Amino acid sequence: GAVVSQHPSRVICKSGTSVKIECRSLDFQATTMFWYRQFPKQSLMLMATSNEGSKATYEQGVEKDKFLINHASLTLSTLTVTSAHPEDSSFYICSASPGLAGLSSYNEQFFGPGTRLTVL
Amino acid sequence: AQSVTQLDSHVSVSEGTPVLLRCNYSSSYSPSLFWYVQHPNKGLQLLLKYTSAATLVKGINGFEAEFKKSETSFHLTKPSAHMSDAAEYFCVVSDPATNKLIFGTGTLLAVQP
């Protein structure tokens, strides 16, 4: 149980184009989904948190107009990198949690396998 | 504020010898702590988690970690390393107010034959 998938696993695009990455919780309802970015040989950095049906909350320094997040259903969140540039090349990882961010109780996050984005 | 510090960026051990990956935490609350493993170009796999139950936590693949409040530590250990243990390991603390995970900088474990 608690499987999270991401699609695609790898994507190569030209500079200036947009890329959409999907994150799905396959066997549970994910009230909250998180998007992380990981540069080579670095740790994961949280980009944004999204609760189903609400606007995403972005971390400081993350451009909300560049990284569009949609969490329209309890099993699907999408991250769209708009007008991608080579510096956006990274490993993007999503996680899903059955709990609602903001509550004091702990809710585990389940991670997807990641998407490798290369912008030429 | 919550934070974790992984004291070693690289650790190298011989196959069959013990593994120790060190992590210290800082937390205003009673923390939830995790260890995740990431193999090259793969997603994260949860090894174990501490959520204020038993202080010695057993995880998958023979790993365990001990929560020591007096030392603010949550070190990861394994009695005998396997070649397949070579990977990046992340110590993580959860912020209970936001459910956000705060990642350490990672420790790259190399296992020599």
Side-chain angles (χ1 to χ4, degrees), chain A residues 11-52:
Chain A
V11 57
I12 300 173
C13 69
K14 294 182 179 180
S15 186
T17 61
S18 295
V19 174
K20 181 183 284 188
I21 302 170
E22 291 186 350
C23 177
R24 293 182 184 272
S25 57
L26 299 184
D27 50 6
F28 68 99
Q29 293 186 327
T31 308
T32 307
M33 286 186 168
F34 302 83
W35 286 96
Y36 297 84
R37 181 168 53 186
Q38 185 182 30
F39 291 108
K41 300 188 186 301
Q42 294 187 26
S43 189
L44 276 74
M45 299 299 296
L46 180 65
M47 298 175 67
T49 303
S50 71
N51 293 322
E52 185 265 338

Side-chain angles (χ1 to χ4, degrees), chain A residues 19-96:
Chain A
V19 174
K20 181 183 284 188
I21 302 170
E22 291 186 350
C23 177
R24 293 182 184 272
S25 57
L26 299 184
D27 50 6
F28 68 99
Q29 293 186 327
T31 308
T32 307
M33 286 186 168
F34 302 83
W35 286 96
Y36 297 84
R37 181 168 53 186
Q38 185 182 30
F39 291 108
K41 300 188 186 301
Q42 294 187 26
S43 189
L44 276 74
M45 299 299 296
L46 180 65
M47 298 175 67
T49 303
S50 71
N51 293 322
E52 185 265 338
S54 304
K55 288 185 177 180
T57 302
Y58 289 82
E59 295 299 299
Q60 192 172 7
V62 178
E63 299 174 59
K64 63 180 181 181
D65 295 329
K66 181 170 183 62
F67 298 100
L68 302 179
I69 291 172
N70 184 281
H71 189 173
S73 80
L74 285 171
T75 58
L76 173 64
S77 176
T78 60
L79 168 68
T80 301
V81 183
T82 62
S83 187
H85 289 107
E87 57 265 31
D88 298 324
S89 298
S90 189
F91 195 49
Y92 291 88
I93 303 174
C94 74
S95 71

